[in-house]
Amino acid sequence: MATEEDAGDQEFAAILQAATELVSELNFVKEEVAPCFAPHWRVEVLWSSSIAHICSNQIIQQIGGPEGTGLCDLSTSQVLDLISWIEFFRGHIEEAFPQVAELRSTRKTYFDEKPELLKGEHKKEVDMESATDSLAWANNMLWEIHRLAEGEFLQRTRDQVDEWLENVYGCVAFHFLP
Amino acid sequence: MPHNPFDDDGPSNGGGGTNPFESSGGGSSNPFEGGSPPSGGGGGGTNPFGDDSRSSSNNPFENEDSGSNQGGGGAYLNQFGSRAAGFVGNVGNALQRPKVLGRVMRSKTSSDGIDHSDLDVLSDLPESSHGGPPASVSSHGRSVSISAAASRRAQSSVDAVGGWIKNRGGPGGGGSSNPFDDNDTGGGTNPFGSTPVPASSGQANSRSDLPSNDSNNINTQSTFRPNSGNNNQTSGAASVKRKTRKQARKEKQHQQSIMNNINSHQAGPKKGLGLRRGKQGPAKWPFDDFNDNTGTQYQAMNNTSNGDGGDGAGGEGAGGMDDIDPLMMNMGNQTINTAAAELGEDMQKEFERPADLPTITEAVRDLSLVDFERKAEERAISILSMWLHDSGLIDDLLVTGTQGYNSLAKRTRAAAGIADDMTVSTTRTSEGMEVGAVTGLPLETLKMDKEIVWLRNRVQRELTLVNSRLNDGVAASGAEVQELVNSVAATKGDLGRMRQMLTYITQSGTKQRDEFLLQNCPRLRQVMNARRNLFRCFRELDFFDQMPTTCERLREELHAGEWTTDEWNTIRNVSMEHVELEILLVEAEAGMKDLMDQNENEGDGRGGRLQPSSKNRPSINTELVDRFLNPHVTNVWELGEEIKMRITAGLNTAYDLASNNPAAMVALVEAVEVYERATEHYHSLQQQDCGDGKQPKKRAGKLKFTNMRASALATLCQHFTLRCAEVFRRVQMRVRCRFTNLVDPLLRFRCKVSHALFFHFLCHTRRLIWQLKRMLGIKNLRQFFKLLRSLCRS
C-alpha cells in the first residue's frame, strides 16, 4: 500500500511538473514561435488556451473534480505544491493576457469540451472572445481550487493545532489535576 | 694681353688682325697662349697658331700658297680664323646661348669648367698655355657643359658642317676629311710635323693622357683617331697628289671649321690645343655617317646664306684669304649661327609649358589611320611635357637629375650613336650637386622619382582596368551579348512608354489620377483599353493552355523537394504558382458566367426577341462552362489538396519547426497566406464592382479558393493540444516507468518499447503515408482515401 501511495504522490508531482513545463513555455512561444506566424494567427493565444485547458483538466482530475473532493486525500505538501502552482499559472496568464484578470464570470464551462478557438464561415480566424473566455474559465476555476486547497490547508492546520492543544490540555490535566 | 677668341669684344676687334688665331703683329692675342706674354707669340713655333705664318712653315693654316692668302692690312685669316670670326661675328647668338642654356649649364656639370683631361692634354703644351685666363676657360667650359640635348644639337650642327664639307670636298680628298691631314700638303707641309708620327704611338699618348669618361677628350681623341689611319696613308702620299691644291685647301678649311665648331661647343678654345697634338696623329671623325644625312640640308641652306654676305668678319676674312671660298665661309658662319639660334629657341620652347591639347574627338577628327599613330605619339609627348611642367619637375630634373632621366639620356645617346663612356658625368667637378651622382652615393628620393613611380602605378592600374574590361568584353558569350541587346531594347521601350505616360500625367496635372489626356477622347481610350485587354487575353489564354503542363511540373517540384532542406521553400514556391492557376480558373468561371448573365439581361431588354432561346441558354451555358473547366479545376484543386496536406504535415510539427528552423516555418505560413490574399483580393474586387454601382452578379462562381488557412489553424490548434497532452503523457509514463521499474522489469521493458513505438509512429506517420502513396501510385489524396476505404471494406 505504501508503494501505491508513493506512486500516487509521484504521479501528482509529475502532473504539476508537466503543467509547470507547459506554462513555462508560454514565454518561449510568445517570443520565439509567434514571430514565425502571421499576427492574426494568434499563436500565443492558441497555445495559452490549449495549456490552460489541459492543465486545468489535469488538475481537476487530480483533486477529484471542480469541487475539490479529492483534496483531502492529498498530503499537506501536495496541497502546498498545488497552491503554489496555481499562483504560478495565474501570474503567467494574467501577465500575458491582462484582460483575463478582469473576467470573473464565463459564458460556459469547458470540462467536457474544448473551447472553439476558430470562428467564421470557414474557420479562418481565431476567436479571441472564446479563447479569452476559456482562459478566464481556467483561471477562475483554478483560482477556486486554490481557494479550496487553501481552505483544506487551513483546516488541516487547525486540526493539528486542536490536536496539539488537546494533547497539551490532556497532559496538564494528567499532571496537575488530582 | 691674352684674348679669348670667343670673347665679347671679338667682333669689335674683328678688323684686321682680330683673328684670335692670327698672331701676326706684336699684339697678337693668341687665345691659346693664355697668360703668356706677347713675346710668346714669337716663340718660334711654340704656338701653333700664334706664330707668324709667314715666318713659320709649320703654321698649319699657312700652306704653300700662303702668300696668296694674305689679305689687306696684314690681316691673315686662316681657316680657323674664318671659323672663329664667324662665331665671333655672331657673338650675339653666341652670347645668347648661355642665357638660353643658363639652366642647362647648371645641370650636367661634369664638363663644367676646364676639363682635367684637357689639362692633361695641355700638359704637352708650354707652361704658358696652362696659365690661360681662367675666365676664358670657364666660359668655354660652361658652353660645353650643355645638356645632352643641347650637345647633341650642337654636335649635329658641327657634324652637319662636316658633312657639307665632305660633300664639298668629295672623294677627291683621298678619303681624308681631316683638316690636319697631311696629304694635301705633302710631307713638308704637315702642320703637326713633317715627319709622320706612327699612329700607334700618337694614339697611345693621347689616350694615356685622357680620362676615359671625358667627352671632350674623347672628342679630341676621336678627332685624332682618323689621323692615325691617315698617317698610314701618308706613307702613300704620292697617290694623293692627284688632288688639286685648291680642293685640298677647301677641304682643309671646312674640316678645320668643323674642328673649331666642335671645340667651341664642346671643349672651348683649349680644344684647339689638341690640334697641337696632331703631330701625334690625327684621329678619325666619329660621325662620318652624319655627313651624308645632313649634306642635303646644307645644300638648301647654301642658297639662303648667299643673302647674308656681310656677316661678321667674314668679309674681312674673305678679304684676307683670296683662295678661301667666301660662300663657304659664309656658309660655315651661317650654319653655326643658325644652329645656335635654333638651339636657343628650341631650348626655350622645351622649357615652356605646351599648349593645352584639344579633346580627343577634335584631335582625331578627319584623321587618317596612317596619321593616327603619329598624332597619338605627339599627344603622348605633349601630355608628358605638360605633366613635367605642371608637376614642377623640370628644375628637379635639370638640377639634380634622376635615374629615370639618366637612363633616358643614355638611351637617347645610344640611339644617337654615342657611347656611354662619353657621358660627362664622370668629370671631376667643383659642383657639389653632382658629387653624389658621380660617386654613386645614394641620393635621397627625388620628387621626380616619386612622380614617376606614381605615374607608373597609375598607368599600370588604368591599363589593368582596361585589360580587364577588354577581357570581359571578349569573354562574353553570344547569348550574353544578345541578352544585353534585348535588355537595352526593352529598356528603351519601357522608357518610351514611361515618357508617354508622363506626358499624360503632366498635361493633366489635376485632381484625380484617371483624368489623363485621353479623358476627352473616349473612343481613343476605348481603343487603347481594348488593345491592353486583348494583350492580356492572349496572355491568359496562353497561360490557360499550359495549365496541365504547369500542374504536372508543380507536382514534380513538390515531390522532388520532399525530405530536403528546401522542402518548405519549395512548398511556398509551388503554392505561389498554384494560386495563380486557381485565380485564373475562378475568374474564368465567374467571368464566363457573368457574361452569360449580361447576355441574358440584354436578351430580356430587347423585348423578348431572344426569349425562347435565352430561357435554355443559361443552364446550358453554365453546364457547358463547368464541363469545359472541369478537367482543369479537378487537376488544379487536387494539386491544392496535395499542397494542403504537405502544409498540414509541416504544421503538425510547428513547435519544433519554429524552434529549430524559423525560416521554414515562415515559408510554410507564407504558403498558406498566399491563398488567403488571393481570396481577399478577389472578394475586394467583387465588392468594388458592387460599390461602383454596377449590377450585382446574380450568379457567383462555384469555385472557391483552397481554404488553406482554416486547415492550417485547425491543424495548429490540434498540434498544440496534442503537444500539451504529449507532455502530460510523457511525464506520467516516466513516473509509471519509474514506479514499475521497482516492481516488474518486464513491465519496464514493455513500457519502454511502447514509448519508443509511440514516438516512432508520431514521427514517421507522415513519411509512411507518402511512402504508401508512392508505392501504390496514388497521385492525390482522393485516390488514397478511396483505396483506403476499399481496403477497409474488403
Side-chain angles (χ1 to χ4, degrees):
Chain A
M1 294 298 292
T3 304
E4 290 181 358
E5 289 180 359
D6 291 340
D9 294 342
Q10 287 183 359
E11 186 174 359
F12 185 81
I15 293 292
L16 290 182
Q17 181 182 353
T20 304
E21 184 179 346
L22 290 174
V23 173
S24 299
E25 288 179 354
L26 180 59
N27 289 332
F28 177 78
V29 170
K30 195 173 183 179
E31 294 176 359
E32 302 292 337
V33 177
C36 299
F37 294 86
H40 51 269
W41 283 35
R42 307 284 184 181
V43 175
E44 67 276 7
V45 174
L46 297 178
W47 176 256
S48 301
S49 179
S50 298
I51 61 171
H53 176 72
I54 290 181
C55 290
S56 60
N57 281 321
Q58 289 287 337
I59 296 296
I60 286 172
Q61 287 179 8
Q62 292 296 320
I63 63 173
E67 291 81 12
T69 54
L71 285 173
C72 56
D73 297 332
L74 299 176
S75 62
T76 306
S77 62
Q78 288 177 341
V79 172
L80 290 175
D81 289 341
L82 179 63
I83 291 172
S84 64
W85 183 86
I86 291 173
E87 290 176 353
F88 170 76
F89 173 81
R90 185 182 176 89
H92 274 78
I93 292 294
E94 290 185 355
E95 181 183 358
F97 307 99
Q99 67 273 18
V100 173
E102 300 173 357
L103 292 176
R104 295 300 175 191
S105 61
T106 58
R107 292 179 295 181
K108 61 179 182 179
T109 58
Y110 299 92
F111 293 116
D112 301 328
E113 58 178 355
K114 291 171 57 177
E116 191 63 39
L117 298 176
L118 303 177
K119 69 176 183 180
E121 183 181 1
H122 301 287
K123 307 287 184 184
K124 287 184 177 181
E125 297 176 4
V126 176
D127 191 355
M128 282 297 293
E129 291 184 2
S130 177
T132 306
D133 191 68
S134 68
L135 280 174
W137 174 84
N139 192 27
N140 293 336
M141 194 269 297
L142 288 175
W143 193 246
E144 181 65 21
I145 293 173
H146 177 273
R147 189 186 62 80
L148 291 176
E150 194 176 30
E152 176 66 22
F153 177 75
L154 291 175
Q155 183 63 37
R156 291 185 184 183
T157 304
R158 188 181 301 113
D159 292 342
Q160 285 184 354
V161 170
D162 291 341
E163 184 179 1
W164 181 75
L165 289 174
E166 186 178 356
N167 291 334
V168 169
Y169 291 143
C171 289
V172 169
F174 178 77
H175 289 288
F176 297 100
L177 293 179
Chain B
M1 181 178 180
H3 179 70
N4 189 347
F6 305 110
D7 209 350
D8 295 347
D9 56 355
S12 59
N13 299 327
T18 57
N19 185 356
F21 303 103
E22 181 188 6
S23 58
S24 61
S28 173
S29 58
N30 188 351
F32 305 108
E33 285 184 352
S36 62
S39 59
T46 56
N47 186 352
F49 309 109
D51 295 3
D52 190 351
S53 59
R54 285 168 293 186
S55 61
S56 173
S57 61
N58 289 332
N59 189 349
F61 310 108
E62 182 189 10
N63 297 324
E64 289 80 357
D65 55 351
S66 59
S68 62
N69 290 338
Q70 294 178 357
Y76 187 84
L77 185 62
N78 56 21
Q79 184 176 351
F80 263 179
S82 65
R83 175 67 66 192
F87 201 93
V88 174
N90 296 283
V91 69
N93 292 331
L95 294 177
Q96 285 176 357
R97 185 174 58 178
K99 295 178 182 177
V100 175
L101 301 177
R103 304 172 71 184
V104 182
M105 289 175 183
R106 293 193 299 271
S107 61
K108 290 303 176 184
T109 58
S110 57
S111 60
D112 279 354
I114 186 169
D115 239 340
H116 293 274
S117 59
D118 289 339
L119 295 178
D120 296 335
V121 174
L122 292 173
S123 62
D124 295 335
L125 298 175
E127 289 297 324
S128 59
S129 301
H130 289 276
S136 170
V137 173
S138 174
S139 64
H140 290 291
R142 287 172 65 85
S143 65
V144 170
S145 63
I146 56 177
S147 64
S151 64
R152 283 199 309 276
R153 188 172 296 279
Q155 186 66 48
S156 63
S157 301
V158 173
D159 295 337
V161 175
W164 177 75
I165 291 169
K166 187 176 182 181
N167 293 331
R168 298 273 294 193
S176 173
S177 60
N178 193 337
F180 315 111
D181 199 349
D182 298 331
N183 297 338
D184 53 351
T185 59
T189 59
N190 186 356
F192 304 109
S194 57
T195 303
V197 179
S200 59
S201 61
Q203 273 191 326
N205 293 331
S206 175
R207 287 176 181 173
S208 61
D209 295 334
L210 297 175
S212 60
N213 291 328
D214 188 12
S215 61
N216 299 326
N217 286 315
I218 285 174
N219 283 335
T220 304
Q221 182 186 13
S222 61
T223 302
F224 293 143
R225 193 176 302 138
N227 277 349
S228 61
N230 291 330
N231 285 329
N232 295 330
Q233 293 177 0
T234 307
S235 61
S239 62
V240 188
K241 289 181 180 179
R242 291 173 299 182
K243 296 172 63 177
T244 63
R245 186 169 295 177
K246 189 174 182 179
Q247 288 175 341
R249 193 182 308 121
K250 288 181 180 178
E251 182 180 350
K252 182 183 292 183
Q253 287 174 350
H254 288 293
Q255 290 183 354
Q256 285 182 352
S257 68
I258 292 168
M259 281 300 302
N260 191 12
N261 196 5
I262 292 172
N263 295 329
S264 64
H265 279 82
Q266 296 186 352
K270 290 187 183 304
K271 294 299 286 186
L273 294 176
L275 294 173
R276 298 196 54 149
R277 301 184 62 86
K279 55 189 175 185
Q280 296 177 355
K284 184 181 178 180
W285 280 100
F287 307 118
D288 284 344
D289 53 345
F290 249 111
N291 301 333
D292 299 334
N293 299 329
T294 56
T296 55
Q297 178 184 352
Y298 288 96
Q299 288 288 349
M301 293 174 63
N302 190 12
N303 300 328
T304 58
S305 63
N306 290 330
D308 297 332
D311 189 11
E316 295 176 356
M321 298 178 64
D322 294 337
D323 55 348
I324 295 177
D325 189 1
L327 175 63
M328 185 174 60
M329 295 176 62
N330 291 332
M331 188 63 205
N333 297 335
Q334 186 65 29
T335 301
I336 295 176
N337 296 338
T338 307
E342 288 179 353
L343 179 65
E345 292 175 358
D346 291 347
M347 292 304 294
Q348 277 186 338
K349 288 180 181 177
E350 284 180 2
F351 296 143
E352 291 179 354
R353 187 183 189 278
D356 291 335
L357 295 172
T359 62
I360 295 177
T361 309
E362 296 176 355
V364 302
R365 184 174 298 162
D366 299 332
L367 192 66
S368 64
L369 191 60
V370 179
D371 297 335
F372 183 82
E373 185 176 0
R374 180 183 54 80
K375 191 75 175 178
E377 186 177 359
E378 293 176 356
R379 192 176 176 85
I381 293 172
S382 299
I383 290 172
L384 190 60
S385 302
M386 291 174 66
W387 169 69
L388 285 171
H389 188 277
D390 295 340
S391 301
L393 296 173
I394 293 178
D395 289 338
D396 189 15
L397 181 69
L398 295 177
V399 171
T400 62
T402 62
Q403 291 181 352
Y405 171 76
N406 288 333
S407 61
L408 180 63
K410 287 178 182 177
R411 285 197 300 271
T412 308
R413 282 194 291 272
I418 303 174
D420 279 346
D421 56 0
M422 291 179 67
T423 179
V424 294
S425 62
T426 58
T427 306
R428 284 166 286 183
T429 177
S430 59
E431 294 196 9
M433 291 300 295
E434 194 66 18
V435 170
V438 171
T439 57
L441 294 176
L443 296 174
E444 61 179 359
T445 306
L446 300 174
K447 183 180 178 183
M448 183 72 176
D449 296 331
K450 294 178 181 176
E451 292 291 335
I452 287 176
V453 170
W454 175 79
L455 187 65
R456 183 183 293 117
N457 293 334
R458 180 183 170 189
V459 171
Q460 187 71 26
R461 189 164 56 249
E462 291 182 357
L463 286 176
T464 304
L465 184 62
V466 170
N467 189 29
S468 63
R469 288 183 178 177
L470 287 174
N471 290 333
D472 292 342
V474 172
S477 64
E480 291 174 345
V481 173
Q482 186 63 36
E483 184 181 359
L484 182 63
V485 171
N486 294 335
S487 301
V488 171
T491 306
K492 282 185 177 179
D494 293 341
L495 285 175
R497 178 174 295 178
M498 286 179 62
R499 196 172 292 115
Q500 179 186 6
M501 292 300 174
L502 186 64
T503 57
Y504 297 162
I505 296 171
T506 52
Q507 289 181 5
S508 64
T510 50
K511 320 149 195 175
Q512 297 180 357
R513 294 179 64 86
D514 54 349
E515 291 182 355
F516 294 140
L517 187 65
L518 298 179
Q519 181 186 8
N520 299 324
C521 308
R523 293 196 175 185
L524 183 58
R525 188 176 183 179
Q526 286 181 358
V527 168
M528 292 194 66
N529 291 336
R531 183 176 62 85
R532 294 171 186 168
N533 290 334
L534 278 176
F535 177 75
R536 184 179 177 185
C537 285
F538 281 114
R539 188 181 60 186
E540 290 183 353
L541 280 175
D542 190 19
F543 186 69
F544 182 81
D545 181 58
Q546 295 177 353
M547 194 170 287
T549 310
T550 306
C551 287
E552 194 64 28
R553 179 175 58 83
L554 292 178
R555 278 195 180 90
E556 291 178 358
E557 289 183 7
L558 197 65
H559 294 161
E562 195 176 8
W563 305 109
T564 63
T565 54
D566 293 333
E567 179 179 5
W568 317 114
N569 291 330
T570 304
I571 291 174
R572 176 177 53 188
N573 297 334
V574 170
S575 299
M576 287 181 176
E577 292 194 43
H578 176 256
V579 77
E580 292 181 0
L581 298 175
E582 288 192 349
I583 289 171
L584 178 65
L585 290 174
V586 169
E587 287 186 344
E589 186 205 17
M592 284 191 282
K593 291 182 178 178
D594 185 39
L595 186 63
M596 290 169 206
D597 292 339
Q598 289 180 5
N599 292 333
E600 185 180 356
N601 294 331
E602 289 177 358
D604 294 339
R606 289 174 185 173
R609 284 192 301 176
L610 298 175
Q611 282 181 356
S613 58
S614 63
K615 283 184 179 177
N616 299 325
R617 185 182 295 173
S619 59
I620 295 174
N621 288 338
T622 302
E623 292 175 359
L624 186 62
V625 168
D626 292 340
R627 197 181 311 145
F628 173 72
L629 294 176
N630 188 38
H632 298 292
V633 168
T634 305
N635 192 7
V636 170
W637 260 255
E638 282 183 353
L639 177 61
E641 290 298 321
E642 292 185 25
I643 295 171
K644 183 193 290 185
M645 196 178 71
R646 296 288 300 275
I647 291 174
T648 304
L651 288 174
N652 279 328
T653 60
Y655 191 90
D656 295 332
L657 193 63
S659 303
N660 301 325
N661 192 359
M665 194 69 244
V666 171
L668 212 53
V669 174
E670 285 181 0
V672 174
E673 288 299 309
V674 164
Y675 294 91
E676 299 308 316
R677 280 196 292 270
T679 305
E680 292 172 0
H681 186 64
Y682 180 72
H683 288 305
S684 65
L685 285 178
Q686 281 186 332
Q687 291 175 0
Q688 188 178 358
D689 290 341
C690 296
D692 290 342
K694 293 182 180 178
Q695 188 176 3
K697 296 176 182 177
K698 292 181 179 179
R699 240 187 337 258
K702 292 189 298 183
L703 291 177
K704 303 292 180 187
F705 290 98
T706 306
N707 196 355
M708 289 288 183
R709 187 194 287 173
S711 61
L713 284 174
T715 305
L716 196 62
C717 291
Q718 186 179 3
H719 166 65
F720 285 161
T721 304
L722 289 176
R723 177 171 175 79
C724 294
E726 169 61 23
V727 170
F728 278 103
R729 196 197 60 80
R730 189 176 67 244
V731 172
Q732 289 173 352
M733 286 288 291
R734 192 185 307 158
V735 171
R736 288 174 187 173
C737 287
R738 192 181 303 165
F739 175 72
T740 55
N741 189 18
L742 301 173
V743 178
D744 189 1
L746 181 60
L747 189 59
R748 184 187 64 181
F749 176 74
R750 288 166 54 191
C751 179
K752 282 188 177 180
V753 169
S754 62
H755 198 187
L757 286 175
F758 180 77
F759 273 99
H760 182 77
F761 177 77
L762 282 182
C763 294
H764 298 282
T765 300
R766 181 165 146 259
R767 188 168 186 173
L768 285 172
I769 291 174
W770 282 103
Q771 286 180 351
L772 278 174
K773 281 179 59 180
R774 286 190 173 182
M775 288 172 59
L776 299 174
I778 300 170
K779 291 185 178 180
N780 51 54
L781 281 178
R782 192 172 298 174
Q783 291 181 0
F784 174 73
F785 288 123
K786 284 181 181 178
L787 182 64
L788 194 63
R789 198 175 303 145
S790 62
L791 286 174
C792 292
R793 286 176 185 171
S794 63

